[in-house]
Every structure is written in C-alpha cells, then in structure tokens.
Amino acid sequence: MPKTCSEPLHRLQLHGPTMATRWAVSCDVPPVLDTNALCQALAEAVEQVDAQMSPWQPESALNQLNRAPVGDWLALPAQILEVLARALEVCRLSDGAFDPAVGALVDAWGFGAACDTPDAEAIRAARNAKRLPTPQALELDLAAGLARKHSPLQLDLCGIAKGYAVDRMCAVLTGHGVCHALVALDGELRAIGPQASGAPWAVALESPRAGLRAAHGVIELQDLAVATSGDYRHFVQVGQARLAHSMDGRSGKPVNNGVASVTVLAPRCMDADAWATALLVAGSGQGLALAHRHGLDALWLLRRGEALVELGSGRFAAAASAGTA
C-alpha cells in the first residue's frame, strides 16, 4: 500500500536518460519506500511517452499515424490520444499559434529526424502544401481509441509531449504515496505539494542568452507546473536572424519575432508546455491577448538590442514592469 505522508521523510534524488535529455525527480519520502521500484516505474512512464510520441522512432504510434492513409481509422494507445486531443484543443484556442501538424516544416528546416540542415526544396514543398486546418484534418474517436486523417499531414508533438511525460511521472509518484516532489524534464517542471519542510519548490528561470547557463530569476512552485519555450537552445542563424526551432505553421517559418522566451504556469505540465509554445509563436502582441483571453499566467522575455524586457500576464503581470534585465 502507498505510505502516508505522516512518516519521517528524507530527500531522494532520482534521474535517468530519455528523449535525448534527462529526467530528474527530487522527492521527500519515507525510508521504507522501495526506491528501486519507484525509479523503474518513473523510467517506464517516460519511456512509454517517448515510444509513442517520438518522431525519431520509426515505429512510434506518432509515425504510424503520420504514415497512415488518409481516411483510414488507426487504433492508437490512450496516452497519445489524450495528448492529441489536448494539442488540437490548444491549436483551436490559440488560433493556430500552437499547431501539432508542423512536422514537415520541422524536418525541412533541419530540426527534425529527417535532416539536420535546412533544405530549400523541402521548405518550399512544406510551405506550399495545401491541407485542411489541423483541427479539421485530424479526427479522434477517444471512446473507440481511434484516429484518422482527412488530409495529408505530418504531426509533431515535441511542443507538448515532454510536459505530458512530466505529468505521467507525477502520476507514478502519487501512486507510490509521494506527497512532496519536484519533477523535471528539460524546461518542463511540476511540483507535487510543497517540500516536506512546508516551503515551496524553488526553480530557476533560465536566462535566454545563448551559450550562457545562468538564472534570470526564481519561481516558487507548489502543486503547479511550469514550462518555458525559447529561441536560445535550438536555433539556426541565417544572416543576422536567429531562427528558433519552434515553427509557426501559419507562416511556414521558424519563429523570429523578438521573443527570447515564454514561461507559463498551469496545473498540468502538458498545458504549460503547449501554451508556452503557442505564446512564443504568437509573439508578444497576439500572445498577450491570448493570455488575457484564456487567463494564463505567462512571462515573456523580449529581446530589445542587447537588453531583455519583461512582459507578463496573470500572476506575472505585477512582477514584469517592462524593465530591462
């Protein structure tokens, strides 16, 4: 049976490789907890997400759907169907700023599994391809566990899958009776409760300066998730332009709008992940309007020459006073 949170607790650190990066968990647990079983369950949870949703694994459920003929129903696992459903919803709510069907663009610009440099012919083909809007092009039958495409499209879930993996790890932890934990996978994090001491979990907001690993600030989490999307980790330099790995499906180009990073808070990490991507793509003007419309807690760091300017909504609005950093 899961242990209660009234027992004496000690700090446990667990981590492992996945998705070309690493997951990490800090948790306060009773000494009798089977840490080997917990670590194995966490690794299995995140690897299941990778196996289903990775564009780099040829037999992933994602790639099976991408290869499926238009009009044919395909049986899919419940996990990827849950993520696809939320991806389509955020696509609608963000007016297409978040678009899970940018896989061809991701590959063409050299950020995907197909190639690691931009391919001008592939870029033209991807930008000129005629297809239905993504929420119309993909139909889901969640009750039956099925999906089908109504027009050709190449899905890419990299803007939401890592956040979902964090949520799955949180479910594993609570299932083992863990009441105090911080789960991290790249720039996606989620806290279960506070630390055993009662203090919230303090996480660093990374400074979006290429080649520099430093903190821009600190965010405190308790029963809350945070995700950050930016242009400073994965990008290509074309002349004076920095082109981020995040794709704007509406223009057919990588993001290049002066937004260095966007950080979003949400109860679930996959929501924070998807909205951080959407608001990065939308830019500060449309993005701020979206954040206000949907009640999002979001912080933009905008490039203004050599300076960074903060812009915030929700609980970040007061802290972001449009100063430089």
Side-chain angles (χ1 to χ4, degrees):
M1 292 179 60
K3 303 299 178 182
T4 68
C5 296
S6 60
E7 300 177 64
L9 306 180
H10 71 282
R11 178 61 52 88
L12 178 65
Q13 306 281 356
L14 301 172
H15 56 83
T18 190
M19 302 181 187
T21 182
R22 297 187 69 81
W23 60 267
V25 171
S26 297
C27 52
D28 297 328
V29 300
V32 295
L33 183 73
D34 187 339
T35 57
N36 289 332
L38 176 60
C39 190
Q40 181 178 349
L42 289 166
E44 289 174 352
V46 75
E47 285 308 309
Q48 182 184 59
V49 175
D50 192 34
Q52 290 185 21
M53 305 178 204
S54 171
W56 282 270
Q57 297 197 31
E59 296 308 312
S60 68
L62 175 72
N63 279 325
Q64 291 179 42
L65 180 57
N66 284 336
R67 292 193 300 265
V70 171
D72 286 5
W73 286 105
L74 178 69
L76 291 174
Q79 292 84 0
I80 190 172
L81 283 168
E82 180 183 359
V83 173
L84 286 169
R86 185 55 177 157
L88 292 177
E89 185 175 9
V90 177
C91 183
R92 287 189 291 266
L93 294 174
S94 67
D95 302 323
F98 179 85
D99 188 350
V102 293
L105 287 168
V106 171
D107 281 347
W109 283 94
F111 293 112
C115 62
D116 57 6
T117 56
D119 182 321
E121 184 176 345
I123 291 170
R124 283 193 296 272
R127 293 184 64 185
N128 294 331
K130 303 297 182 183
R131 62 176 178 85
L132 295 171
T134 302
Q136 299 175 30
L138 181 63
E139 181 182 0
L140 305 178
D141 185 335
L142 299 180
L146 300 171
R148 67 174 171 181
K149 300 177 295 187
H150 293 290
S151 69
L153 76 169
Q154 184 177 337
L155 296 158
D156 186 306
L157 296 175
C158 291
I160 190 172
K162 286 182 179 178
Y164 180 73
V166 169
D167 292 333
R168 295 298 301 164
M169 286 190 283
C170 287
V172 168
L173 287 160
T174 55
H176 281 75
V178 176
C179 304
H180 311 281
L182 180 67
V183 181
L185 178 56
D186 254 6
E188 287 69 53
L189 301 96
R190 180 174 166 180
I192 300 172
Q195 300 180 60
S197 66
W201 298 92
V203 301
L205 172 61
E206 187 174 8
S207 175
R209 301 182 189 274
L212 175 68
R213 301 302 294 269
H216 178 83
V218 175
I219 297 173
E220 294 185 334
L221 299 180
Q222 180 173 329
D223 292 317
L224 197 63
V226 62
T228 298
S229 292
D231 71 351
Y232 54 97
R233 285 280 190 89
H234 307 294
F235 61 90
V236 292
Q237 196 77 28
V238 179
Q240 298 300 310
R242 179 198 301 269
L243 304 181
H245 72 290
S246 296
M247 290 293 146
D248 186 344
R250 303 164 302 179
S251 68
K253 299 178 182 179
V255 173
N256 178 28
N257 57 13
V259 178
S261 69
V262 181
T263 297
V264 175
L265 301 176
R268 297 190 304 181
C269 200
M270 76 166 170
D271 294 334
D273 194 7
W275 276 113
T277 301
L279 298 183
L280 175 70
V281 171
S284 57
Q286 181 195 5
L288 187 60
L290 283 171
H292 288 321
R293 185 192 313 164
H294 299 295
L296 302 175
D297 299 312
L299 176 67
W300 285 259
L301 296 182
L302 311 177
R303 297 188 188 279
R304 297 294 183 262
E306 296 299 314
L308 293 172
V309 174
E310 294 185 354
L311 179 68
S313 66
R315 65 188 79 183
F316 287 114
S321 58
T324 59

